[in-house]
Amino acid sequence: MSDSQTASASDLPRAWPFEEARKLADHVATRSSTGADERPALLETGYGPSGLPHIGTFGEVARTSWVRQAYTALTGRPSRLLAFSDDMDALRKVPDNVPQREMLQKYIGQPLSRVPDPFGTHESFAAHNNARLCAFLDSFGFEYEFASSTQYYTSGRFDAALQRVLEVHDQILAVILPTLGPDRRATYSPVLPLHPRTGEVMQVKMDAIDAAAGTVRWTDPATGEVFETPITGGHAKMQWKADWAMRWYALGVDYEMSGKDLIDSVRLSGRICKILGGTPPAGLTYELFLDEQGQKISKSKGNGLSVEEWLRYAPPESLGQFMFNQPQRAKRLYFDVIPKTADDYLTHADKARALQAENPAGNDLRANPAWFIHKGSVPEDAGSPVPFGMLLNLASVANADTPEVLWGFIRRYDSAVSPQTHPMLAELVKHAIAYYADFVRPAKTFRAPTDKERAALVDLAETLRGFEGEAADASILQNLVFEIGKRHGFEPLRSWFGCLYEVLLGQKEGPRFGGFVALYGVPETIALIDAALLRDTQV
């Protein structure tokens, strides 16, 4: 494919990052059609350093990285990813999860890069959170360039673009003012000067704009004093929607995705970018995360799931899988989604390894989420011979509180498997123990079987006794379980499996039961059935 060509829809792997990559390639081709602009494609993500990085930060950087990976595969052209920190924004409120909150209260209205670090480890609150951001992104192996709003403003990187803002100031106002309420409209300015004495980011009306001099004149509402402030050199910054547009224009951003809640802001910033003389970037509007009740996740409400919490219960690849799945569809982000997402990842990793061996450059491989999660090369040890859900059920019936308990069953099931030969499985075992202890064990509720179910369970136990002493084959055992369900007239057949999960495991859902029997052991499963039937008679 030449630099000026992009693939047709039929040529693309069936994965959303490639659809986005084509949009990016079209955008780059348009701005470089004259041959005068051959710089690498610039993809950007934004970060507000008033708080620590969160799961949404991971999602946006991960998804943008996958678009970049697809763009490289599609075009062979270079690209850059800029992780931009808005650290010149003013501190609006003191976060609840930081020390020295009373001290921070004194700095409300100050740029975050001038607010002291309440943790005492960096020169400013912004520097502390920026360092946490970089460490966070580095821990996942993202490739990016970090950018500080304060550094870009104070170094003069934005000076030419800011000068352009003053030249078209009235046109920008004409776009923004109709979107504001009466009170806000009366004092709004796209330019926010920094107070020369207090350092506060001033949200005041401009008395005069001098484009030739590159200054704005304004009045301090507290003292009535009039100031004339240069907009260059970090003496002023832009109001955020105008700031976003100015940044796109100044840096030539080609791609930036954003959440559904910013649709109107993207549209408005795009109009301002055009007024400045730039072209708004291509981008994806992704849906928001919801909690278990279907409510929008909010950091202030604390109704979300943190990255740290997710990684306690499943490997980082599973979090990547969650972020990869249908970004334009709202998804509930709570603890119950973790086991299925982990197993989805394992399924994709197994398929990807097979496809990688057959055709490393094939579209089927490049449509696989594991190809993106592993940056184009899926390692041989990426999968697991035992699904995560199966490990959880094994932990449940064994009441396991250490990995060694589960490994005893796993080694008996397959003596060739060990933590050394299957590191992903070893990681999953540890996560399964933690998830079982925190979520499965407290929620276990056994029910008594009906007469019909009791007869089927007795039949299952008796049939399984014929397999004692033999090597257990999961598929044969699964067929056996099916046949017993049919023999006892369960309709639909899933009601029979519901009986197995609720009566034997104390939970609503469970694994493929034949695979579970093979892993747990035939004698142990018979004992499990006998104990459940005995428990019923003692109630």
Side-chain angles (χ1 to χ4, degrees):
M1 181 181 296
S2 69
D3 289 349
S4 61
Q5 292 176 314
T6 57
S8 67
S10 60
D11 295 330
L12 293 176
R14 296 179 64 83
W16 66 264
F18 277 96
E19 297 174 5
E20 294 302 301
R22 185 175 61 176
K23 288 162 52 178
L24 171 58
D26 289 343
H27 185 278
V28 172
T30 299
R31 59 103 159 139
S32 60
S33 58
T34 62
D37 191 355
E38 291 299 317
R39 58 185 171 80
L42 178 61
L43 300 85
E44 182 182 64
T45 64
Y47 168 66
S50 58
L52 301 179
H54 54 86
I55 204 160
T57 309
F58 170 86
E60 189 163 313
V61 177
R63 288 166 172 168
T64 305
S65 297
W66 295 329
V67 173
R68 185 184 180 196
Q69 181 177 333
Y71 175 78
T72 300
L74 189 66
T75 68
R77 294 182 56 126
S79 62
R80 301 165 53 214
L81 194 162
L82 195 66
F84 196 94
S85 171
D86 291 306
D87 58 10
M88 202 167 168
D89 285 357
L91 178 66
R92 297 300 174 200
K93 65 177 183 178
V94 177
D96 295 330
N97 59 345
V98 297
Q100 301 192 64
R101 297 185 73 248
E102 290 187 8
M103 179 274 289
L104 289 179
Q105 195 69 38
K106 303 174 184 176
Y107 292 88
I108 295 292
Q110 293 282 326
L112 290 162
S113 52
R114 296 187 182 183
V115 175
D117 177 16
F119 297 92
T121 59
H122 293 77
E123 64 272 19
S124 71
F125 188 34
H128 177 93
N129 288 336
N130 287 341
R132 290 289 297 271
L133 170 69
C134 292
F136 175 79
L137 298 181
D138 291 344
S139 70
F140 290 102
F142 291 124
E143 297 177 5
Y144 67 97
E145 302 169 32
F146 175 77
S148 157
S149 175
T150 298
Q151 195 276 330
Y152 274 45
Y153 270 106
T154 57
S155 69
R157 185 78 176 267
F158 287 151
D159 281 0
L162 292 169
Q163 182 66 43
R164 178 62 180 158
V165 166
L166 293 193
E167 294 170 0
V168 294
H169 182 270
D170 291 346
Q171 296 178 57
I172 294 174
L173 282 181
V175 167
I176 295 179
L177 292 183
T179 69
L180 306 175
D183 293 341
R184 187 81 177 90
R185 193 182 305 142
T187 61
Y188 178 83
S189 169
V191 179
L192 303 177
L194 270 61
H195 199 294
R197 295 200 181 95
T198 68
E200 183 179 352
V201 180
M202 301 300 297
Q203 298 207 34
V204 293
K205 183 179 180 180
M206 296 299 102
D207 299 329
I209 301 293
D210 190 336
T215 61
V216 293
R217 192 168 71 245
W218 54 280
T219 302
D220 185 341
T223 65
E225 191 173 1
V226 176
F227 295 95
E228 186 155 356
T229 302
I231 61 164
T232 55
H235 298 288
K237 71 176 300 292
M238 299 289 291
Q239 192 90 248
W240 92 265
K241 292 175 186 177
D243 184 82
W244 208 8
M246 183 275 296
R247 195 160 77 217
W248 290 343
Y249 167 71
L251 304 180
V253 176
D254 295 302
Y255 187 91
E256 182 161 1
M257 60 176 63
S258 55
K260 182 181 179 181
D261 54 338
L262 295 180
I263 288 177
D264 290 339
S265 299
V266 170
R267 187 179 298 117
L268 187 66
S269 296
R271 292 178 64 188
I272 297 171
C273 183
K274 290 178 180 178
I275 290 171
L276 292 171
T279 301
L284 169 74
T285 299
Y286 55 81
E287 264 287 3
L288 306 177
F289 299 126
L290 307 176
D291 65 12
E292 191 171 2
Q293 283 71 45
Q295 301 297 311
K296 176 185 171 183
I297 281 178
S298 166
K299 284 190 293 181
S300 61
K301 291 180 182 178
N303 63 336
L305 179 64
S306 71
V307 171
E308 291 77 13
E309 288 171 324
W310 185 292
L311 296 183
R312 170 170 164 76
Y313 303 115
E317 292 87 350
S318 65
L319 181 56
Q321 179 71 55
F322 181 83
M323 293 298 173
F324 189 91
N325 293 339
Q326 299 175 308
Q328 291 174 293
R329 177 177 295 181
K331 292 194 289 291
R332 297 193 177 191
L333 178 60
Y334 58 102
F335 294 102
D336 283 6
V337 307
I338 293 177
K340 183 181 183 305
T341 307
D343 278 337
D344 285 346
Y345 159 73
L346 294 174
T347 298
H348 288 303
D350 286 341
K351 290 180 180 177
R353 290 201 314 276
L355 291 168
Q356 192 168 257
E358 295 172 4
N359 184 5
N363 279 358
D364 288 342
L365 173 61
R366 294 188 297 171
N368 190 303
W371 183 82
F372 290 94
I373 293 169
H374 290 286
K375 301 178 184 176
S377 180
V378 184
E380 280 301 312
D381 59 6
S384 168
V386 184
F388 186 58
M390 189 75 77
L391 292 172
L392 285 178
N393 285 284
L394 183 60
S396 180
V397 297
N399 198 27
D401 55 5
T402 65
E404 286 71 26
V405 174
L406 297 190
W407 276 110
F409 291 99
I410 295 169
R411 289 191 183 96
R412 188 178 62 185
Y413 173 69
D414 187 343
S415 60
V417 174
S418 71
Q420 291 71 39
T421 60
H422 292 78
M424 174 60 75
L425 175 57
E427 191 175 351
L428 290 171
V429 165
K430 295 176 183 178
H431 290 308
I433 296 295
Y435 194 95
Y436 164 68
D438 291 353
F439 299 107
V440 179
R441 183 163 52 197
K444 286 173 73 71
T445 304
F446 297 92
R447 71 166 176 83
T450 65
D451 290 343
K452 178 180 177 179
E453 291 170 342
R454 169 176 283 275
L457 288 168
V458 170
D459 190 357
L460 175 60
E462 288 302 317
T463 306
L464 285 175
R465 285 188 173 93
F467 287 83
E468 287 187 286
E470 298 182 12
D473 182 275
S475 60
I476 292 175
L477 292 170
Q478 183 72 7
N479 290 334
L480 179 151
V481 176
F482 268 109
E483 288 303 317
I484 290 176
K486 293 176 182 177
R487 187 156 68 225
H488 288 266
F490 285 91
E491 185 61 39
L493 197 57
R494 66 174 176 270
S495 64
W496 165 230
F497 289 95
C499 157
L500 295 174
Y501 303 147
E502 295 170 14
V503 174
L504 302 182
L505 304 181
Q507 56 201 53
K508 293 292 185 183
E509 298 179 351
R512 286 178 59 85
F513 205 75
F516 169 75
V517 176
L519 179 62
Y520 186 49
V522 169
E524 289 78 5
T525 304
I526 295 170
L528 185 68
I529 296 171
D530 290 343
L533 297 177
L534 180 62
R535 181 176 62 242
D536 175 41
T537 62
Q538 295 175 341
V539 174

